[in-house]
Amino acid sequence: MENSNTFHQMRAVTRHIEGVPKEWQSTNDWDSHRELLWLALSKTKNKIVEFGSGEGSTPLIRDYSIKNNRDFLSLESNKDWADKMKSTYVEKYDLPTNELGLSLYADLTFIDAAPASIREFLIRINANKSNVIIIHDTEPGADYVYGMKEILSTFKYRLDYQPEGMPHTTAVSNTVNVCTWI
């Protein structure tokens, strides 16, 4: 697909990703992002930022980060979830970075935040702060809730993980050809 200035490359994968460790394999709709997230972690090297913590991602990313000596920042706007997942509580995700007092520049950013309406904003503000962004719930049927279709189409590289009968997950980047990962 092409626009006036940039060639875009897109790839979709419907099969399970080879080499994924058992603990990273999906067990339900809430953690269908795990396989692509694991692949992205294995292909990147530096800081990881997560918007929206949960049992399906945060403990695994934290453990991976410790084992691989990587910085990990997990942000959560629900106080109970932040406490439960030992994440950094933020009242609102849309506060300017300087108000958060945190550096959001990352090699990998994972977005699975609530409310659904904040995801498009998080993708937009991280497009130039992250080498690779992984976003959960990107299947076309969920766009009426999440509204990410348009912003996802603006990236140079896009890899869609579409496990049958489960929510989709997408990797996007303007600097890393994520399409070559599979």
Side-chain angles (χ1 to χ4, degrees):
M1 145 172 101
E2 211 173 320
N3 76 14
S4 60
N5 301 335
T6 310
F7 177 77
H8 292 259
Q9 189 172 352
M10 187 170 137
R11 184 168 187 192
V13 175
T14 57
R15 70 186 188 296
H16 289 286
I17 298 171
E18 290 184 35
V20 175
K22 185 175 170 93
E23 67 270 19
W24 283 89
Q25 293 173 8
S26 178
T27 59
N28 58 55
D29 283 358
W30 302 105
D31 65 15
S32 64
H33 58 270
R34 282 184 178 175
E35 291 191 26
L36 186 56
L37 183 57
W38 173 83
L39 181 63
L41 286 166
S42 72
K43 299 289 186 181
T44 58
K45 303 285 182 223
N46 297 308
K47 185 176 181 177
I48 305 152
V49 174
E50 172 187 57
F51 289 92
S53 62
E55 295 170 340
S57 60
T58 309
L60 287 170
I61 299 171
R62 184 172 285 117
D63 186 53
Y64 186 95
S65 298
I66 291 167
K67 288 178 182 174
N68 292 279
N69 196 31
R70 291 178 67 176
D71 289 336
F72 173 49
L73 174 62
S74 177
L75 301 170
E76 176 56 57
S77 65
N78 178 299
K79 180 77 168 115
D80 293 335
W81 271 109
D83 291 345
K84 183 176 182 178
M85 294 292 111
K86 299 178 182 133
S87 297
T88 300
Y89 171 70
V90 292
E91 188 175 332
K92 290 178 150 188
Y93 290 118
D94 57 354
L95 291 173
T97 304
N98 59 344
E99 285 185 39
L100 294 174
L102 305 167
S103 171
L104 301 182
Y105 286 90
D107 201 18
L108 175 64
T109 297
F110 175 53
I111 298 174
D112 197 15
S117 59
I118 198 70
R119 293 188 191 188
E120 184 272 337
F121 172 80
L122 290 172
I123 295 165
R124 188 170 12 92
I125 68 164
N126 285 286
N128 295 315
K129 293 179 182 177
S130 184
N131 289 326
V132 176
I133 302 173
I134 303 289
I135 310 101
H136 193 221
D137 301 309
T138 56
E139 64 278 7
D143 196 59
Y144 76 98
V145 174
Y146 296 98
M148 299 181 289
K149 179 181 176 183
E150 193 171 312
I151 189 78
L152 292 176
S153 70
T154 66
F155 286 86
K156 187 173 181 180
Y157 303 106
R158 177 177 173 170
L159 176 62
D160 289 309
Y161 178 55
Q162 305 169 341
E164 187 177 341
M166 300 182 95
H168 298 180
T169 303
T170 298
V172 292
S173 179
N174 287 317
T175 58
V176 176
N177 188 347
V178 297
C179 299
T180 63
W181 289 356
I182 296 182

